Amino acid sequence: MQAQTVLNSGATINLSMIEGQAFSSNFAGTGTQDNVYTVVGAVPPGITIATIPKPPPATSNHEMVISGTPSTPGTYTLNINVSATFFSVPVLYTTTIVINVTAPPVPAPVA
């Protein structure tokens, strides 16, 4: 089971990735029924964002996963708008995710 990061209102989450290396991280919004995630901003090339439902019997707190192999170094900023329901009360909030993709380290020359 993979650890997940909770998306909180107004929070900023910093992620570090290395160009050419696989990455995967799960996130969960707060709520007691299905969460809907809307992404505003561009993810690094090679990275995707998907929503994954929890297996039955769970019917709530679907997760979001950011995964793939980044192919371009740089800094990418996303706003994740979460629409959830908390005990029948609609809840809307935004979490910012900053993704920093760095080039792989250069191997030391062989003597």
Side-chain angles (χ1 to χ4, degrees):
M1 182 174 177
Q2 183 172 6
Q4 59 180 234
T5 301
V6 175
L7 301 172
N8 291 309
S9 180
T12 298
I13 298 169
N14 295 298
L15 300 177
S16 296
M17 301 178 187
I18 298 175
E19 177 187 18
Q21 292 187 10
F23 178 90
S24 183
S25 187
N26 288 24
F27 299 85
T30 57
T32 57
Q33 296 179 6
D34 294 346
N35 296 328
V36 176
Y37 305 100
T38 305
V39 179
V40 178
V43 296
I47 296 295
T48 60
I49 297 179
T51 300
I52 52 173
K54 288 189 177 181
T59 59
S60 63
N61 290 331
H62 291 183
E63 296 177 9
M64 181 186 79
V65 63
I66 297 177
S67 63
T69 303
S71 60
T72 306
T75 301
Y76 304 83
T77 301
L78 316 169
N79 285 320
I80 308 298
N81 298 319
V82 181
S83 173
T85 303
F86 192 72
F87 295 106
S88 301
V89 176
V91 178
L92 302 171
Y93 59 91
T94 300
T95 300
T96 300
I97 297 180
V98 178
I99 302 172
N100 187 34
V101 179
T102 57
V106 177
V110 177

